Amino acid sequence: MARELCTAIVALARDEVAETVGRRLERGDDPLEILAECREGMALVGERFQAGDYYLSELLLSAEIFKAAVARIEPRLPTARGEQPAGSVVLATMRGDIHDLGKNILATLLRAHAFEVHDLGVNVEPAILLAKVEEVRPDFVGLSALITTSFQSMKEACQLIDEAGLRGSLELLIGGGVTTPEVMEWVGADFQTLDAASGVAYCVEKMGGE
Ligand code: B12
């Protein structure tokens, strides 16, 4: 039962995913749990792609199905809106990577927790990221990675921020399916996760919240 959503995503059963998400929201299931199950399904789609059982067209279809599910889940995500921004965050998927589903979820959750989010989108050059960091002077920089070839540009971005003398004034988070603690060390980041909610919890804690 708990895996029915995951299975429906792997089967690319668009209507079943929509219906199941709707039903589970109605019965009061935790939206973050529903989201996590959808993500698990996407990871399995990726495994099928890697094994040669699915092609790019199936990846694209899975992304559409996932986006539609997220659109239903988003309005139910927990919020903690305050009068003042809780902090500011610059987000990006770096050069070489066009995946953005996870980054967009992180942006939504951060906004729901009253953070000011500057989302630069995908395939972002390190120099563009630095320019935004110099302009905004954020509390956090969040880099999302789903493809290993973008690690180099993440590291470059971190070095540019350091050379500009701004590394000490912000926390650098990385996340996304292919990131690991080792990648975090190599890039020179402060925090790594495969879960947007724990990224938000980290930011909230660093800003002195609960
Ligand atoms: C959907 C998908 C696509 C879609 C993306 C659509 C979109 N708008 O993003 C499309 C079809 C476009 C695509 C294209 C490609 N893809 Co693709 N794709 C996937 C797939 C199936 C799911 C990714 C996903 O969105 N998951 C769901 C989200 C919600 O999970 P998530 O990103 O991990 O995010 C969560 C957390 O990690 C966290 N998070 C994410 N970012 C951040 C950042 C911070 C700061 C924090 C705190 C948290 C955080 O929050 C999210 C919610 O909790 C993965 C498989 C997988 N294992 O992930 C392959 C996968 C990532 N793709 C892969 C590949 C190879 C490609 C292509 C090169 C295919 C091709 N031959 O053209 C191209 C890439 C082009 C490029 N240069 O980027 C490989 C990468 C392999 C590698 N080792 O690098 C994977 C792993 C599949 C595989 N197993 O082979 N893909």
Side-chain angles (χ1 to χ4, degrees):
M1 177 70 180
R3 291 184 59 82
E4 93 186 288
L5 194 47
C6 181
T7 309
I9 289 203
V10 183
L12 305 171
R14 188 197 300 260
D15 293 345
E16 196 184 331
V17 171
E19 190 272 325
T20 309
V21 168
R23 182 164 35 83
R24 290 194 37 189
L25 285 170
E26 282 320 305
R27 76 169 188 220
D29 285 7
D30 180 354
L32 287 173
E33 253 174 45
I34 302 175
L35 209 50
E37 213 184 305
C38 291
R39 183 182 177 275
E40 207 184 315
M42 295 299 276
L44 294 178
V45 169
E47 281 176 21
R48 290 205 177 182
F49 174 74
Q50 208 165 11
D53 297 332
Y54 276 179
Y55 297 96
L56 198 54
S57 52
E58 276 96 358
L59 277 195
L60 280 165
L61 180 55
S62 71
E64 263 180 43
I65 294 171
F66 183 83
K67 263 190 209 170
V70 172
R72 278 171 163 248
I73 297 167
E74 262 175 3
R76 309 289 186 98
L77 289 172
T79 58
R81 291 197 184 281
E83 295 282 304
Q84 300 290 326
S88 59
V89 190
V90 170
L91 287 185
T93 298
M94 298 306 291
R95 183 184 65 218
D97 192 348
I98 60 162
H99 297 85
D100 66 357
L101 300 178
K103 171 182 65 58
N104 295 346
I105 290 174
L106 177 66
T108 300
L109 283 178
L110 284 167
R111 288 191 178 108
H113 283 79
F115 282 86
E116 189 182 285
V117 177
H118 304 267
D119 186 350
L120 296 176
V122 299
N123 204 20
V124 175
E125 285 294 336
I128 302 287
L129 182 91
L130 175 64
K132 196 68 187 173
V133 167
E134 284 177 324
E135 177 200 331
V136 175
R137 303 290 168 122
D139 302 299
F140 304 93
V141 169
L143 305 181
S144 182
L146 266 295
I147 189 152
T148 48
T149 45
S150 71
F151 292 165
Q152 182 60 40
S153 48
M154 291 164 86
K155 189 180 174 80
E156 273 174 49
C158 189
Q159 281 168 347
L160 286 181
I161 292 171
D162 198 10
E163 283 161 20
L166 295 170
R167 184 66 185 84
S169 66
L170 56 83
E171 294 275 324
L172 202 125
L173 290 72
I174 67 166
V178 295
T179 62
T180 61
E182 291 73 29
V183 175
M184 178 189 85
E185 290 285 324
W186 186 76
V187 164
D190 303 302
F191 179 80
Q192 179 272 334
T193 181
L194 300 179
D195 167 32
S198 66
V200 175
Y202 180 83
C203 295
V204 169
E205 192 199 315
K206 287 286 166 189
M207 296 308 289
E210 285 174 12

